[in-house]
Amino acid sequence: MNSNLIGKFSIGLWIVTVLTLGYFFYFGSTSRSLDDRTAIHLTPAERQLVLTEMRALLTSVNGILSGLAEKDYERAAKAADAVGMGLVASLENQEKTILLKLPVEFKKLGFGTHEKFDEIAAKIRKKQDIHTLLKEMDELTRNCVACHASYKIEIESEKNNSK
């Protein structure tokens, strides 16, 4: 009887743990901010990593456009490659704890954006028509606009100030 009770308690504890992890995987560490965006709460170091990555994305957009404007397709493709899924893989160890704090929609936007850079790099290397490439850049930057319109990154200690 005693081992049966311990077994039921263990299974219950396991279910609570899985549900808690599932909740954080889906919703992350978030709240509603004063400007009605979703505030994602990170440590100062995590926030710095995310913002550094966002600046790298913007730098790559500029590199792509600059390369295309000068008809330097290889430079444009390299700019796109710099922030594709290869960047995500290189940051995997640093981002493991951050991923639990990010809501699933933010993760989808982020991974989709990195994948889009890889797609654009491939199309640039094929020297596709400039209008096709501009359409791709439009789709890419829509992800940026959607993300910045929906989310903001706050330091965890700011969590109470945004409610």
Side-chain angles (χ1 to χ4, degrees), residues 21-67:
L21 284 173
Y23 174 87
F24 280 106
F25 178 81
Y26 191 82
F27 293 106
S29 178
T30 63
S31 67
R32 185 64 47 202
S33 68
L34 292 175
D35 62 3
D36 210 31
R37 293 185 291 167
T38 298
I40 301 171
H41 305 286
L42 302 176
T43 66
E46 292 166 341
R47 180 178 187 269
Q48 187 60 44
L49 179 64
V50 171
L51 295 179
T52 299
E53 187 175 342
M54 287 180 184
R55 285 189 294 273
L57 296 173
L58 184 57
T59 299
S60 288
V61 166
N62 181 253
I64 293 167
L65 294 174
S66 175

Side-chain angles (χ1 to χ4, degrees), residues 150-163:
S150 300
Y151 301 100
K152 68 186 293 184
I153 307 293
E154 292 185 351
I155 303 295
E156 285 175 332
S157 62
E158 294 176 8
K159 189 183 299 187
N160 296 330
N161 296 334
S162 61
K163 288 186 179 178

